[in-house]
Structures are given as C-alpha cells and as structure tokens.
Amino acid sequence: MTKLLLLFTLPLYLLDQWSKSWIVANFDLHGREDEVIKGTFWLHHTANTGVAFGMFNGTQYANYAFTFISLSALAFLIWGTRTNMFPGKLSRTAVALIVSGIFGNLTDRLFRRHDDGVLFGGGFLDGYVVDFLRFDFGFPPFNPWPSFNVADSCVVVAAILLGIASFVEQPPQKSVKS
C-alpha cells in the first residue's frame, strides 16, 4: 500500500495543489474564463465550500461538516486497509486515489483564504476549495458540467474503480479457527 501511496497519492496531491495555486495566481476569483477548447472547455477560478455540484456551497457550517466527513472517511480507509477490506490492486489503487482527493480538498478547506486564495494564509476552517475546470458538452445533463479540480477527479475515478473492484476482486477469506 505504501508503494501506491507514493506512486499515486503524493504526485496527484502535489499536482492538485500546484494547479490550484497556479489558478489562484492567474485568475481572479469569479473573474474571467479562458476558453481552452472552443465551446467545450474553460479554465476559471471559483470557490466551493460545499461538495459535488456545488451542493451546500456557502452554507454557514459547510467547512466544518465536510472537514469532519473527510477526516471520518480517512479514518475509515485506514481501518479498511488494516483489516484487508481492499484485497486487490484495483481497490487499493482506488484507496490511494481517494486519499489524494481527500487531502487535496481538505488542504484547501483548512488553509486557503477567501480574500486572496493564498495557501496557509487563512484562519482555520475559513477556506474554500478551488475549482477551475469547466466543461460544457452541449447536451443535458452535461451543459455545463459543474466546475471541479484534480482532487475531485481522483475521487470520481476512485469511486468507479471501487465499483469495478466490487465485481472482480475476491473478498478476503476469513480464517477459521479450530
């Protein structure tokens, strides 16, 4: 598992934080959008204190609730890893991706300040998650798709991998005591 954490979790976490810092440095919050692929893909800088699809964004205790949920998920993943809940390469890869996504967005929630987006400049739990990738595929429900980031992508890919793993990986065998 350590190899997967070093191979996937750390590089993806660093990519997530680097890309968010680059966006914060180059795009004003809720400012301009740069079209990368005409009519389909844009870069921009938006703040999200909620979860997927912007649900609960801006609510009073969102950062507290989602920080608690993130830490609980990490505790569950640690427990699950130690109890061999994730027996195969696919499920362990998914865990490495989820951990990357959790740490990426949790770092923002804990340390990214609203006034200028500087990492490690804000008050504890006063931050926001930087979302910056926006797609519009031109047909419902994909027009436009809610903004997201690298960490969000890691979590989505991990969920898909866990779904596949639940069908193709054998559950761990329980030892029978005689």
Side-chain angles (χ1 to χ4, degrees), residues 79-158:
W79 173 80
T81 300
R82 289 185 177 194
T83 60
N84 201 27
M85 183 183 289
F86 310 106
K89 289 181 181 179
L90 206 54
S91 59
R92 289 193 304 267
T93 299
V95 168
L97 290 172
I98 290 173
V99 170
S100 175
I102 289 172
F103 276 124
N105 286 338
L106 188 59
T107 298
D108 284 5
R109 283 187 197 286
L110 294 175
F111 303 111
R112 197 170 296 277
R113 196 167 69 189
H114 272 281
D115 55 357
D116 62 8
V118 172
L119 193 61
F120 301 114
F124 185 69
L125 284 175
D126 189 31
Y128 67 94
V129 175
V130 174
D131 287 335
F132 60 92
L133 303 167
R134 188 171 80 78
F135 286 87
D136 185 343
F137 297 108
F139 54 90
F142 305 109
N143 60 327
W145 193 254
S147 297
F148 60 98
N149 58 48
V150 174
D152 298 337
S153 300
C154 290
V155 171
V156 169
V157 170

Side-chain angles (χ1 to χ4, degrees), residues 23-62:
I23 287 294
V24 166
N26 291 287
F27 289 78
D28 290 334
L29 184 60
H30 306 297
R32 80 173 204 272
E33 289 188 339
D34 282 3
E35 192 171 35
V36 178
I37 299 174
K38 187 168 176 60
T40 304
F41 173 50
W42 296 262
L43 292 175
H44 69 126
H45 178 193
T46 188
N48 185 1
T49 59
V51 290
F53 305 105
M55 293 186 300
F56 309 109
N57 192 19
T59 57
Q60 185 175 4
Y61 297 107

Side-chain angles (χ1 to χ4, degrees), residues 3-23:
K3 190 186 303 185
L4 284 171
L5 291 174
L6 291 174
L7 185 64
F8 289 111
T9 303
L10 184 60
L12 288 170
Y13 170 77
L14 293 173
L15 175 63
D16 176 70
Q17 290 302 302
W18 173 83
S19 60
K20 289 173 179 175
S21 293
W22 185 85
I23 287 294

